């Protein structure tokens, strides 16, 4: 039996919905001493898994870009296309939820001096650039090479984003799981784990569906060209 | 080894493979004409030889210097190039363009006279008719050989398009004269006069016939001193495009902030941000010369001259510095460190935006991609500088 990306994505979406519900209603509240807006902290259960999924998508974007650029693999180009769309979707989920949380917790939705915030937003904008840019160009080796190059160089921001809160913590909090300073309450950890798994399934489904769609689009384009050649 | 050497070149353009392991070698004193129907790959050969097209396999060498190979290695040497597009910015001057192409000073007016352009020597190219502009483009492709006693490669892509009969005849004669001087010429054309001037005709897809052209006579133009192009700075002074684009954006930002804020009440971080914001806005407008090079695909021609895209970085430093001085004067907080920071930040921002735009030039519609989506990251270094300098 062939597993369709759409079905996997729907499963992930259901898990993401469950995470949202558990985070809002079931997960324990945080201490009012630790947060200025403790109730807004519940956005965390959406914010962190979506950031995780976005990072996965950016990783796949890098792999797709590199294999297209150096190996000219068709699957890699399809991976590039699908993962840039997935990265845009999950990146926007993360940035948007972060802005809402930031507005409640810090009093401002954004801080232009925070390196984690800005490099992550940049990655999301890179995905937006790739998605919109690709739609504006006819498909061809020049288009693919240019956007693959942006995908490869853009990946430099991923390690920057990862280490930003460890090296230059300005406003965004540092890591909360698997650190030496203790970990999350177990119920909180459970919800976060469900979220991480659900978003991973969602992103895999999204990329599978996206790759299939791109394949169909390219096939349609080939058929159109062949039709035009034969009708000449 | 030939002056122009394409070795086992495989090139893809769009979704099709145009050349597949194709080789050609053009010796000193030889003229090779590429002929064939539209879209058969003639222009691809010329652009590949000039290093403008990336190749899947193979390499291109001119005068023994590697121009480009499939591994991405690039090199540059002196050669003449005239593409299907004229590749001239409208604000370049006729005489100046020919001198830039030659890379040295020489008696340009007598050359222009033979091509009926002497009276246009000081005119901007934008003021010329289509045919005159084409003649300037052809001359800038031919002149590197005209001023050289050493063999030089000349690459011409449909140079006869838009030319009258007399000009085509003159072009065919000039090609023969240059070949007599030992220069190697590759020309893509359908025109019978140009085809007849070739020693070899390659009919795409690749049947080769020998030609029997009449011999020409080469007369070397006397070279003057070497010439540096500095095209970006010259164009910026002529068009004031840096001031009109970047400068105005900075001034408008300052004006808008003055309408909303009272500078006398600002202090600390807000004051520093107020002073440095106009320079950032000016920089975010990007390299104004880059926009000019998009005209007639001029960037492609300039790319064969230098690896550094045409720019007016020195002028940007002055513009951004001046805007920061103005903002400082308005606030009454005159700090040399801040002014230097404004100038450098603005110029660096402009250079980065310019490079981002430059990276999209291989696309078939470079104007259609929204490269500005990537510029918000540039606020981060600006904000960090504001934070640092306001401590």
């Amino acid at each position: 039996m062939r597993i369709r990306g759409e079905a996997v994505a729907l499963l992930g979406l259901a898990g993401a919905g469950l995470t949202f519900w558990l985070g809002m209603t079931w997960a324990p509240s945080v201490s009012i001493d630790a947060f200025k807006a403790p109730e807004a902290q519940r956005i965390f259960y959406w914010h962190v898994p979506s950031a995780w999924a976005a990072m996965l998508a950016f990783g796949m974007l890098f792999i797709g870009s590199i294999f297209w650029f150096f190996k000219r693999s068709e699957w890699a180009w399809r991976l590039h296309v699908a993962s840039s769309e997935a990265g845009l979707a999950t990146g926007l989920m993360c940035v948007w939820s972060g802005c809402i949380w930031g507005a409640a917790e810090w009093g401002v939705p954004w801080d232009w001096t925070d390196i984690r915030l800005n490099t992550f937003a940049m990655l999301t904008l890179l995905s937006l650039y790739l998605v919109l840019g690709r739609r504006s160009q006819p498909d061809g080796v020049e288009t693919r090479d240019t956007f693959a190059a942006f995908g490869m160089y853009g990946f430099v921001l991923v390690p920057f984003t990862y280490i930003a809160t460890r090296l230059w913590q300005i406003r965004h909090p540092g890591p909360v799981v698997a650190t030496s300073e203790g970990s999350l309450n177990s119920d909180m950890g459970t919800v976060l784990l469900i979220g991480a798994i659900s978003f991973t399934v969602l992103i895999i489904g999204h990329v599978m569906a996206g790759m299939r769609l791109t394949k169909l689009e390219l096939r349609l384009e080939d058929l159109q060209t062949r039709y035009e050649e034969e009708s000449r | 080894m030939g002056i122009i050497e394409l070795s086992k070149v495989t090139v893809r353009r769009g979704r099709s493979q145009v050349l597949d392991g194709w080789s050609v070698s053009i010796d000193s004193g030889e003229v090779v004409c590429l002929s064939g129907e539209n879209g058969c790959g003639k222009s691809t050969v010329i652009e590949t030889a000039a290093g403008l097209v990336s190749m899947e396999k193979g390499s291109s060498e001119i005068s023994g210097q590697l121009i480009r190979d499939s591994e991405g290695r690039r090199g540059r040497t002196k050669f003449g190039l005239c593409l299907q597009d004229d590749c001239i910015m409208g604000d370049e001057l006729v005489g100046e363009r020919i001198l830039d192409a030659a890379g040295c000073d020489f008696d340009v007016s007598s050359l222009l006279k033979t091509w009926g352009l002497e009276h246009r020597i000081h005119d901007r190219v934008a003021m010329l008719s289509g045919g005159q502009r084409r003649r300037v483009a052809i001359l800038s492709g031919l002149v590197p050989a005209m001023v050289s006693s050493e063999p030089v490669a000349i690459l011409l892509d449909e140079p006869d398009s838009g030319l009258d009969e007399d000009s085509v005849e003159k072009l065919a004669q000039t090609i023969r004269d240059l070949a007599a001087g030992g220069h190697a010429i590759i020309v893509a054309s359908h025109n019978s006069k140009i085809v007849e001037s070739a020693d070899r005709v390659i009919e795409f897809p690749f049947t080769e016939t020998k030609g029997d052209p009449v011999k020409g006579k080469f007369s070397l133009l006397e070279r003057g001193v070497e010439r540096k192009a500095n095209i970006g700075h010259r164009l910026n002074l002529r068009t004031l495009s840096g001031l009109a684009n970047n400068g105005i954006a900075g001034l408008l930002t300052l004006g808008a902030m003055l309408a909303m804020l009272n500078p006398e009440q600002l202090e600390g971080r807000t004051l520093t941000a107020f002073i440095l914001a106009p320079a950032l806005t000016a920089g975010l407008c990007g390299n104004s010369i880059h926009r000019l090079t998009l005209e007639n695909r001029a960037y492609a021609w300039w790319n064969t001259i230098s690896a550094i895209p045409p720019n007016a970085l020195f002028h940007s430093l002055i513009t951004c510095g001046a805007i920061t001085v103005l903002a400082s004067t308005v606030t009454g907080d005159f700090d040399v460190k801040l002014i230097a920071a404004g100038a450098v930040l603005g110029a660096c921002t402009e250079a980065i935006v310019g490079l981002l735009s430059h990276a999209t030039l291989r696309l078939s519609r470079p104007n259609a991609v929204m490269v500005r989506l990537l510029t918000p990251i540039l606020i981060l270094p600006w904000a960090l500088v504001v934070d640092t300098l306001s401590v």
Side-chain angles (χ1 to χ4, degrees), chain B residues 28-46:
Chain B
S28 169
E30 195 179 22
V31 179
V32 171
C33 182
L34 307 174
S35 194
E37 62 185 35
N38 291 335
C40 65
K42 303 188 296 290
S43 298
T44 300
V45 171
I46 301 284

Side-chain angles (χ1 to χ4, degrees), chain A residues 168-207:
Chain A
W168 316 282
Q169 189 179 357
I170 296 170
R171 206 186 274 270
H172 193 283
V176 290
V177 273
T179 64
S180 55
E181 294 155 20
S183 199
L184 286 176
N185 165 302
S186 68
D187 287 346
M188 286 177 162
T190 306
V191 180
L192 195 62
L193 184 66
I194 294 171
I197 293 168
S198 303
F199 272 82
T200 306
V201 173
L202 174 65
I203 209 81
I204 290 169
H206 196 306
V207 169

Side-chain angles (χ1 to χ4, degrees), chain B residues 34-348:
Chain B
L34 307 174
S35 194
E37 62 185 35
N38 291 335
C40 65
K42 303 188 296 290
S43 298
T44 300
V45 171
I46 301 284
E47 293 188 18
T48 306
L52 295 172
V53 175
S54 64
M55 47 194 100
E56 307 290 302
K57 286 178 191 154
S59 65
S60 159
E61 286 184 20
I62 289 181
S63 306
Q65 163 73 48
L66 177 78
I67 298 297
R68 190 168 191 153
D69 70 5
S70 56
E71 302 291 310
R73 283 183 282 259
R74 300 286 305 265
R76 279 172 181 79
T77 189
K78 194 80 198 158
F79 64 90
L81 177 68
C82 169
L83 295 177
Q84 238 174 335
D85 300 283
D86 293 328
C87 296
I88 314 176
M89 293 175 261
D91 289 300
E92 289 181 70
L93 303 183
V94 173
E96 176 190 270
R97 163 68 173 210
I98 306 296
L99 290 172
D100 284 339
C104 63
D105 283 330
F106 71 98
D107 182 12
V108 71
S109 58
S110 62
L111 174 66
L112 289 175
K113 195 174 180 181
T114 56
W115 285 78
L117 288 166
E118 191 195 16
H119 61 296
R120 292 290 202 173
I121 188 167
H122 299 299
D123 281 354
R124 291 187 193 207
V125 172
M127 307 303 162
L128 307 185
S129 69
Q132 288 172 325
R133 201 165 52 230
R134 192 64 189 151
R135 273 180 272 165
V136 176
I138 292 167
L139 276 176
S140 43
L142 298 175
V143 78
M146 291 174 168
V147 296
S148 173
S149 51
E150 296 293 311
V152 168
I154 299 294
L155 318 172
L156 307 169
D157 190 4
E158 310 230 2
D160 49 89
S161 62
L163 288 189
D164 53 43
E165 278 299 301
D166 286 350
S167 301
V168 174
E169 208 150 304
K170 193 173 299 184
L171 172 63
Q173 184 56 48
T174 310
I175 287 174
R176 284 317 316 166
D177 292 344
L178 291 177
H183 303 297
I185 299 163
I186 183 165
V187 53
S189 179
H190 301 283
N191 191 291
S192 57
K193 285 201 175 83
I194 304 293
V195 175
E196 283 163 18
S197 71
D199 299 292
R200 269 195 289 158
V201 180
I202 301 175
E203 181 81 28
F204 275 58
F206 320 129
T207 51
E208 200 171 311
T209 50
K210 289 250 180 237
D212 185 22
V214 290
K215 279 241 177 274
K217 190 175 170 225
F218 179 65
S219 51
L220 181 70
L221 295 177
E222 199 178 328
R223 289 175 71 98
V225 289
E226 291 293 312
R227 180 183 165 86
K228 282 211 166 191
N230 284 334
I231 183 70
H233 289 95
R234 267 190 279 133
L235 277 186
N236 200 28
L237 284 176
R238 190 173 304 142
T239 61
L240 296 178
S241 64
L243 210 58
N245 291 300
N246 311 58
I248 284 294
L251 288 175
L252 286 177
T253 307
L254 182 59
M257 288 195 302
L258 280 174
M260 305 291 290
L261 305 163
N262 180 358
E264 286 167 11
Q265 291 174 351
L266 302 176
E267 54 184 16
R269 197 164 171 251
T270 332
L271 179 66
T272 314
F274 181 93
I275 293 169
L276 292 179
L280 173 74
T281 321
L284 285 173
C285 288
N287 176 358
S288 55
I289 304 302
H290 171 80
R291 264 192 296 274
L292 298 177
T293 62
L294 293 177
E295 190 177 2
N296 291 320
R297 225 177 137 220
Y299 60 84
W301 192 86
W302 284 100
N303 184 258
T304 63
I305 304 279
S306 165
I308 302 167
N311 66 80
L313 210 56
F314 182 65
H315 293 172
S316 310
L317 275 169
I318 296 172
T319 308
C320 296
I323 296 169
T324 315
V325 168
L326 196 62
S328 300
T329 313
V330 168
T331 58
D333 183 27
F334 205 84
D335 182 350
V336 177
K337 211 163 54 180
L338 267 183
I339 292 162
V344 173
L345 260 177
C348 288

Side-chain angles (χ1 to χ4, degrees), chain A residues 51-113:
Chain A
W52 159 251
M55 286 301 189
L56 282 180
F58 298 141
M60 287 191 266
L61 174 66
F62 180 64
I63 293 168
S65 302
I66 246 182
F67 273 86
W68 166 259
F69 205 89
F70 293 109
K71 296 282 177 196
R72 291 286 190 257
S73 309
E74 281 295 323
W75 67 263
W77 177 248
R78 295 202 297 272
L79 181 64
H80 170 102
V81 172
S83 54
S84 60
E85 285 165 0
L88 174 61
T90 46
L92 282 176
M93 282 182 201
C94 178
V95 170
W96 193 243
S97 56
C99 284
I100 296 171
W101 190 7
E105 181 64 29
W106 305 327
V108 285
W110 199 258
D111 183 343
W112 286 109
T113 61

Side-chain angles (χ1 to χ4, degrees), chain A residues 131-154:
Chain A
V131 170
L132 293 182
R134 206 173 41 243
R135 285 180 187 174
S136 72
Q137 305 294 323
D139 184 36
V141 71
E142 299 87 355
T143 304
R144 293 182 181 194
D145 280 355
T146 304
F147 290 125
F150 273 101
M152 284 190 305
Y153 289 119

